[in-house]
Amino acid sequence: MKYYLIVGEASGDLHAAHLMTALKRHDPEAEFRFIGGDNMRTTGGTMLRHYKEIAYMGFIPVLMHLRTIFSSMALCKKDILAWQPDVVIPVDYAGFNLNICKWLRKIKAEKKPKVFYYIAPKIWAWKEYRIKKFKRDVDEMFCILPFEVDFFQGKHNYPVHYVGNPTADEVRKFKSKYTETKEEFCKKHQLVPQKPIVALLPGSRKQEIKDNLSTMLEVADILPGCQYVVAKAPSVEINDIDVPMVDNATYELLSHSDAALVTSGTATLETALFDVPQVVCYKTPVPKITRWAFDHIIQCKFISLVNLIADKEIVPELFADRFSAESISSCLVGILPGGKKRKQMLDEYKDVHARLGNESAPENAAKIMMALLK
């Protein structure tokens, strides 16, 4: 069968690549075309465009790159019509992918593909009205967070498939194979094994990095007793920093880190799954208005996946008016080795592990997709 995947960021590229691998196990004749990244390209198939050409977030960055985004949408639609896949698989990234889903519903092609949405966008946090679009334009929804079942099926009467969490699955597989010692890792990256390592995970998009990394580096000046190491996502440029950086080796870094400063997103969950105490820090525009909106408009209590899955505050969330180098430093002190809040956070991580379970999300999703397509 022919599978067309659309990804808009680094984490989606990784999850989609593992789904492609699982689909090939069940369908030896599988063919792939995609907007994606390096992991998907390595897995096999034809890449139409790299996700970094459409990976913009925030009103101003999106506005500035509208021509590029619309060009990519038009190219994607033309390519789908020409290739005639059996199924289109959007992966998260709602802004771009919902436009494609709406267009797919309306096309009058000889062979109209199914739409299987893998990794539901976080409409439970905001833009809940988008549920109407999913009900109308998406044939099957595949969720990776346990509480999403209650949201989609319980609250909105929209049947979904919970397949397990791919991040948990990926971390488990990495841990089972990774053998590098801390001494070897430090030697490779010119670090000191005896000195605490604080991982800096500033995001995978240019705007996130621009907004967050400079403040993270200020923390390094306030608390100079640690080694601060930046985890650079694939296909992202980070220049002119005076701390060490690892390229496309976030899991390796987290394996040997004592604490982490993390932007909101998949990285917060990855950090918890590696049992690294963390501070979630995220800069937003107009902080006071953002805080008011979060308290009165946004439909969820937390911004980090760790806290959302646990349904309580395990990790501190310093965003909007709480985002500053001083407040981040204060929280970081408490979770470093010997810190007063370190053990409590590590103990509460166990609840997150338990709630996610041990299912293989790409394997489960591939099985269900194959059964539905046949």
Side-chain angles (χ1 to χ4, degrees):
M1 292 189 185
K2 298 163 75 173
Y3 305 85
Y4 201 104
L5 296 94
I6 307 170
V7 161
E9 57 190 350
S11 60
D13 170 43
L14 181 63
H15 298 330
H18 289 150
L19 176 62
M20 291 162 64
T21 299
L23 285 168
K24 286 199 288 188
R25 281 196 292 270
H26 294 277
D27 180 7
E29 304 300 317
E31 299 178 59
F32 300 102
R33 287 178 74 85
F34 51 85
I35 292 177
D38 299 335
N39 289 297
M40 297 169 74
R41 179 159 45 195
T42 300
T43 303
T46 301
M47 184 162 73
L48 181 68
R49 277 193 174 172
H50 201 285
Y51 70 78
K52 66 181 179 180
E53 297 184 46
I54 62 171
Y56 301 102
M57 64 178 293
F59 179 75
I60 299 300
V62 168
L63 192 64
M64 290 175 61
H65 295 91
L66 273 179
R67 180 173 294 183
T68 300
I69 294 169
F70 286 147
S71 170
S72 296
M73 281 183 182
L75 180 63
C76 180
K77 293 171 182 178
K78 182 179 179 181
D79 196 50
I80 290 172
L81 281 178
W83 197 52
Q84 294 191 333
D86 295 285
V87 59
V88 174
I89 305 176
V91 182
D92 202 352
Y93 205 60
F96 188 97
N97 280 327
L98 280 177
N99 179 282
I100 300 296
C101 293
K102 180 180 179 180
W103 169 80
L104 283 166
R105 178 178 60 86
K106 295 180 178 180
I107 64 171
K108 297 179 180 178
E110 180 181 342
K111 182 181 178 183
K112 192 170 183 176
K114 292 285 188 180
V115 178
F116 292 172
Y117 213 115
Y118 184 59
I119 305 182
K122 300 171 183 64
I123 63 170
W124 35 262
W126 69 310
K127 296 186 178 181
E128 189 170 346
Y129 62 85
R130 282 177 165 172
I131 187 65
K132 296 177 182 179
K133 298 179 181 181
F134 287 104
K135 286 184 173 183
R136 182 189 67 200
D137 301 332
V138 174
D139 294 302
E140 303 287 341
M141 175 71 78
F142 296 80
C143 296
I144 64 167
L145 297 169
F147 62 83
E148 289 178 327
V149 177
D150 286 337
F151 173 80
F152 285 108
Q153 294 187 175
K155 186 174 183 179
H156 291 287
N157 195 31
Y158 178 46
V160 297
H161 307 278
Y162 175 66
V163 293
N165 188 273
T167 299
D169 190 46
E170 288 150 11
V171 170
R172 278 193 301 270
K173 289 179 179 177
F174 176 86
K175 284 182 173 180
S176 69
K177 297 177 181 178
Y178 185 60
T179 59
E180 188 176 44
T181 66
K182 184 173 184 178
E183 288 72 20
E184 291 169 338
F185 175 82
C186 288
K187 183 178 180 180
K188 181 193 297 184
H189 298 286
Q190 299 180 325
L191 302 170
V192 180
Q194 296 77 22
K195 197 173 182 181
I197 296 175
V198 177
L200 306 182
L201 280 62
S204 61
R205 296 186 178 102
K206 292 180 181 178
Q207 192 62 39
E208 284 180 328
I209 295 166
K210 180 182 177 183
D211 289 343
N212 294 292
L213 183 55
S214 60
T215 303
M216 290 179 173
L217 296 176
E218 287 181 41
V219 175
D221 293 331
I222 295 172
L223 299 174
C226 300
Q227 300 173 101
Y228 296 83
V229 184
V230 175
K232 187 176 91 65
S235 305
V236 171
E237 292 299 323
I238 300 178
N239 300 308
D240 302 322
I241 62 172
D242 57 1
V243 301
M245 180 168 60
V246 298
D247 189 356
N248 196 22
T250 300
Y251 283 9
E252 290 86 343
L253 173 59
L254 288 173
S255 296
H256 303 295
S257 294
D258 296 280
L261 305 182
V262 192
T263 60
S264 183
T266 304
T268 64
L269 181 56
E270 291 172 325
T271 303
L273 291 169
F274 275 97
D275 290 317
V276 179
Q278 65 183 295
V279 180
V280 176
C281 34
Y282 199 88
K283 185 178 181 179
T284 63
V286 289
K288 291 184 178 179
I289 295 176
T290 300
R291 173 63 57 188
W292 183 89
F294 185 80
D295 291 339
H296 296 91
I297 299 175
I298 296 175
Q299 300 296 311
C300 62
K301 294 184 287 185
F302 307 108
I303 66 167
S304 68
L305 287 178
V306 179
N307 291 343
L308 285 164
I309 292 167
D311 196 27
K312 63 180 179 180
E313 184 173 303
I314 292 177
V315 299
E317 298 181 345
L318 305 182
F319 67 100
D321 56 335
R322 297 173 189 167
F323 179 87
S324 71
E326 291 74 18
S327 58
I328 295 169
S329 300
S330 177
C331 287
L332 178 58
V333 168
I335 61 171
L336 286 169
K340 294 181 179 179
K341 297 187 178 181
R342 182 179 179 85
K343 184 180 184 301
Q344 179 183 346
M345 189 178 295
L346 289 172
D347 287 342
E348 291 181 329
Y349 276 170
K350 295 174 184 176
D351 182 41
V352 177
H353 287 263
R355 292 187 182 217
L356 290 174
N358 297 310
E359 295 290 324
S360 171
E363 184 67 21
N364 289 343
K367 287 179 182 178
I368 296 170
M369 289 180 184
M370 291 303 303
L372 291 168
L373 289 170
K374 287 180 179 179

